[in-house]
Amino acid sequence: MAQQASPDSNTQTDNGTVSPKNPKTNDPLLQSIKQFVNLTNSTLANFERATDESSTMIVSRLRQLGRQGWHIASRSLSTYEHRGQYGPQIVAGAAVVVGGAVALRTRRVPAALVGAGLGGAAAYGNVYGYEDYSATSWRNSIPKKE
């Protein structure tokens, strides 16, 4: 199975690539293009290697943070579910924090007391729940005459 080569056809080399029948291997333009392609390929390979290394480090760090965040969130949810057991501490802490922040901001004692009262009331409502405090809700607590 010998191939007959036409005068304008290409020949196949030992490594399977097709090259022109009369290659100009010492053409300076072809040599510069080859050098530029090799330089570009090596630069892109270095860039890809650096990008892969940095993205791998970022992903591993994000996984660790995600695990820690999941642990903190589950502990917070568990604590929130048992908030009734720590009601007085939560109400007092909220009153102190809000009252202290208002006191630092306004530098007035009455404002700090109002802030502490509102902070404590909001925490109390969150811990123990809000009742129906409408204008007519008091009527429900009066026993009915029979």
Side-chain angles (χ1 to χ4, degrees), residues 58-137:
I58 290 172
V59 168
S60 68
R61 177 64 65 183
L62 287 176
R63 282 187 185 140
Q64 289 175 356
L65 289 175
R67 277 189 237 119
Q68 290 174 356
W70 180 257
H71 178 70
I72 291 170
S74 64
R75 293 281 306 235
S76 299
L77 184 62
S78 174
T79 303
Y80 181 76
E81 291 295 325
H82 300 291
R83 68 188 180 276
Q85 297 173 354
Y86 307 105
Q89 294 90 342
I90 294 172
V91 172
V96 167
V97 168
V98 173
V102 171
L104 289 174
R105 178 80 177 143
T106 62
R107 295 185 180 150
R108 296 175 188 235
V109 173
L113 294 176
V114 169
L118 291 176
Y124 181 88
N126 188 25
V127 170
Y128 298 111
Y130 293 101
E131 299 293 326
D132 180 21
Y133 293 117
S134 64
T136 59
S137 65

Side-chain angles (χ1 to χ4, degrees), residues 39-54:
L39 177 66
T40 303
N41 287 341
S42 65
T43 303
L44 289 174
N46 289 337
F47 181 70
E48 184 178 8
R49 193 176 312 116
T51 303
D52 286 345
E53 289 173 3
S54 63

